[in-house]
């Protein structure tokens, strides 16, 4: 019985929304359809995830008719992706182009009815410039980190909500014996972890891990604050103006090299992509709730309030969002590595 109560509360929290609310009675194990999607302007392929939520489990929702509309005009029918039985989600993919101001609606007809969600594409922010610094953190050659000063221009005339992310592509120039011309491989891709403790917009009011366990402020932070793991922020401090974000990353030395056996050395050149994503207020609220859940959801804290996840899906629960992003790419300094391979 306790498990069913916990599952019921989870479903009720998920259903809180300014659009719709699902009321489920204890003991009622009727499936509740769930739709989730995070869309990005500029992506060539978009994904929608569907499942049925029950009191104690989730089940895949296969065979749905998923259609996509932009400004009430049908633009795509999503195709279901074949997935292994171990997954409790059904994945549907479609291709479509969006622009700021477009209204994007996703409708899914299932065996139990129709669910839908409509979102508006937010404006695109602008990254004016990025200045980088290499900061030594130790005596070895690779004991350093990079710092980035990112000048952002706010979207004018409205309250804006953002998040920042970073990734990198690594070009590998592979040199083989008796051949001075390298073979080039640029397929390597990595997410870059953003250290946000130096930036007040990303750290003020959030948990700061890694502090002194005996420090009273670190203790209070760990007990009653959550971590800003999605690096979200608002334009409250620089509305209709510019602002310079201060970010940090590691030395970018992580790379995967898989050349043909025989290469003796490689010259690696990373290109860092700094992305500022614009989002709706409802998605901003949703990501705050996810931060709270990810940080505090499994901890016993009798002072914290219950965690509520917004929903914007009619006829079911879940969350659909769309983001517009500004990207600034920087080619960083190269380094050389020696390679050793073993042949069978």
């Amino acid at each position: 019985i306790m498990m069913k109560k916990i599952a019921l509360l989870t479903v009720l929290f998920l259903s809180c929304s300014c659009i719709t609310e699902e009321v489920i009675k204890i003991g009622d194990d009727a499936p509740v359809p769930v739709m989730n999607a995070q869309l990005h302007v500029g992506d060539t392929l978009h994904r929608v995830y569907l499942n049925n939520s029950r009191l104690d489990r989730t089940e895949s929702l296969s065979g749905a008719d998923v259609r996509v509309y932009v400004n009430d005009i049908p633009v795509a029918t999503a195709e279901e992706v074949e997935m292994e039985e171990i997954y409790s989600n059904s994945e549907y993919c479609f291709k479509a182009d969006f622009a700021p101001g477009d209204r994007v609606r996703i409708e899914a007809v299932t065996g139990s009815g129709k669910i839908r969600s409509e979102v508006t594409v937010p404006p695109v922010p602008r990254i004016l410039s990025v200045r980088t610094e290499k900061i030594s953190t130790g005596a070895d050659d690779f004991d350093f980190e990079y710092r980035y000063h990112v000048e952002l221009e706010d979207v004018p005339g409205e309250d804006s909500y953002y998040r920042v992310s970073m990734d990198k592509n690594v070009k590998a120039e592979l040199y083989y014996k008796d051949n001075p011309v390298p073979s080039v491989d640029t397929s390597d891709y990595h997410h870059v972890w953003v250290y946000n403790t130096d930036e007040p917009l990303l750290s003020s009011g959030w948990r700061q891990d890694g502090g002194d366990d005996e420090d009273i402020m670190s203790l209070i932070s760990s007990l009653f604050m959550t971590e800003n793991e999605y690096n979200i922020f608002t334009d409250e401090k620089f509305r209709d103006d510019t602002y310079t974000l201060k970010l940090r990353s590691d030395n970018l030395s992580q790379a995967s090299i898989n050349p043909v056996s025989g290469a003796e050395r490689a010259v690696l050149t990373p290109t860092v992509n700094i992305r500022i994503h614009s989002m709706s207020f409802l998605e901003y609220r949703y990501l705050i709730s996810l931060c709270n859940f990810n940080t505090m959801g499994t901890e016993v804290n009798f002072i914290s309030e219950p965690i509520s996840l917004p929903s914007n899906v009619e006829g079911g629960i879940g969350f659909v969002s769309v983001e517009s992003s500004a990207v600034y790419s920087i080619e960083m300094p190269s380094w050389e590595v020696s390679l050793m391979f073993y042949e069978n």
Side-chain angles (χ1 to χ4, degrees):
I1 296 176
M2 181 59 70
M3 177 181 289
K4 288 190 175 182
K5 288 183 178 179
I6 293 174
L8 171 66
L9 291 175
T10 302
V11 172
L12 288 178
F13 292 154
L14 283 168
S15 67
C16 294
S17 170
C18 62
I19 298 177
T20 183
E21 180 172 320
E22 293 289 327
V23 179
I24 302 172
K25 298 179 181 180
I26 292 180
D28 183 3
D29 195 26
V32 177
V34 181
M35 175 191 290
N36 288 298
Q38 186 178 49
L39 313 176
H40 295 272
V41 173
D43 281 0
T44 56
L45 189 67
H46 306 278
R47 292 174 171 83
V48 181
Y49 297 93
L50 301 177
N51 64 62
N52 276 323
S53 177
R54 294 184 180 271
L55 294 180
D56 59 350
R57 67 191 185 279
T58 58
E59 302 170 338
S60 61
L61 210 171
S62 183
D65 181 14
V66 181
R67 301 184 181 241
V68 183
Y69 302 80
V70 176
N71 300 324
D72 297 325
I73 300 173
V75 296
T77 298
E79 297 183 1
E80 185 172 0
V81 179
E82 185 175 346
M83 302 183 70
E84 298 181 24
E85 293 184 0
I86 59 173
Y87 296 104
S88 58
N89 268 323
S90 292
E91 180 181 334
Y92 297 80
C93 293
F94 68 93
K95 295 182 179 180
D97 294 324
F98 314 134
D102 284 347
R103 292 178 292 106
V104 181
R105 185 172 78 252
I106 301 177
E107 296 183 353
V109 178
T110 70
S112 57
K114 179 194 290 188
I115 56 176
R116 67 189 295 271
S117 181
E118 182 171 294
V119 291
T120 300
V121 180
V124 182
R126 288 185 64 198
I127 300 176
L128 301 179
S129 64
V130 176
R131 180 171 60 87
T132 62
E133 293 181 276
K134 180 180 177 181
I135 307 297
S136 175
T137 58
D140 295 336
D141 290 342
F142 281 91
D143 288 340
F144 67 90
E145 64 184 20
Y146 284 110
R147 298 185 182 180
Y148 311 85
H149 302 265
V150 183
E151 186 181 10
L152 169 67
E153 182 178 69
D154 187 34
V155 174
E158 60 182 73
D159 296 340
S160 297
Y161 306 89
Y162 303 108
R163 69 180 180 92
V164 59
S165 67
M166 294 174 61
D167 56 75
K168 69 180 180 184
N169 301 94
V170 180
K171 180 178 70 174
E173 297 176 281
L174 308 171
Y175 290 86
Y176 298 87
K177 186 177 180 179
D178 301 327
N179 186 358
V181 179
S183 170
V184 179
D185 179 10
T186 58
S187 61
D188 194 43
Y189 169 86
H190 291 278
H191 170 76
V192 175
W193 185 262
V194 178
Y195 301 106
N196 58 23
T197 54
D198 295 339
E199 175 47 60
L201 289 186
L202 300 177
S203 60
S204 180
W206 296 91
R207 172 188 285 190
Q208 299 302 310
D209 291 332
D212 186 350
D213 292 339
E214 297 182 358
D215 179 67
I216 184 63
M217 295 307 296
S218 296
L219 178 61
I220 293 174
S221 173
S222 65
L223 288 176
F224 304 110
M225 301 175 74
T226 57
E227 181 182 352
N228 185 8
E229 61 181 290
Y230 298 107
N231 294 310
I232 55 178
F233 62 101
T234 76
D235 67 344
E236 182 180 0
K237 302 294 185 182
F238 63 102
R239 188 159 296 142
D240 296 336
D241 203 348
T242 61
Y243 184 84
T244 300
L245 291 166
K246 295 176 285 294
L247 310 174
R248 289 188 296 129
S249 78
D250 60 19
N251 59 21
L252 307 177
S253 62
Q254 180 186 6
S256 301
I257 307 172
N258 188 28
V260 177
S261 176
E264 295 183 328
R265 62 189 179 92
V267 176
L268 306 179
T269 306
T271 296
V272 173
N273 306 302
I274 300 172
R275 304 178 189 272
I276 304 294
H277 310 273
S278 176
M279 69 183 73
S280 67
F281 171 67
L282 191 59
E283 183 184 356
Y284 178 76
R285 276 186 52 207
Y286 180 78
L287 292 179
I288 288 178
S289 297
L290 279 185
C291 288
N292 292 336
F293 180 79
N294 293 340
T295 306
M296 310 294 289
T298 58
E299 298 181 8
V300 178
N301 189 336
F302 299 103
I303 300 178
S304 299
E305 296 182 359
I307 297 170
S308 174
L309 294 176
S311 170
N312 63 355
V313 174
E314 298 181 44
I317 57 177
F319 199 84
V320 174
S321 67
V322 60
E323 295 181 345
S324 298
S325 305
V327 184
Y328 199 102
S329 299
I330 312 169
E331 186 175 289
M332 306 299 285
S334 304
W335 71 93
E336 183 175 321
V337 295
S338 298
L339 304 177
M340 179 179 296
F341 298 93
Y342 298 91
E343 297 190 32
N344 294 328

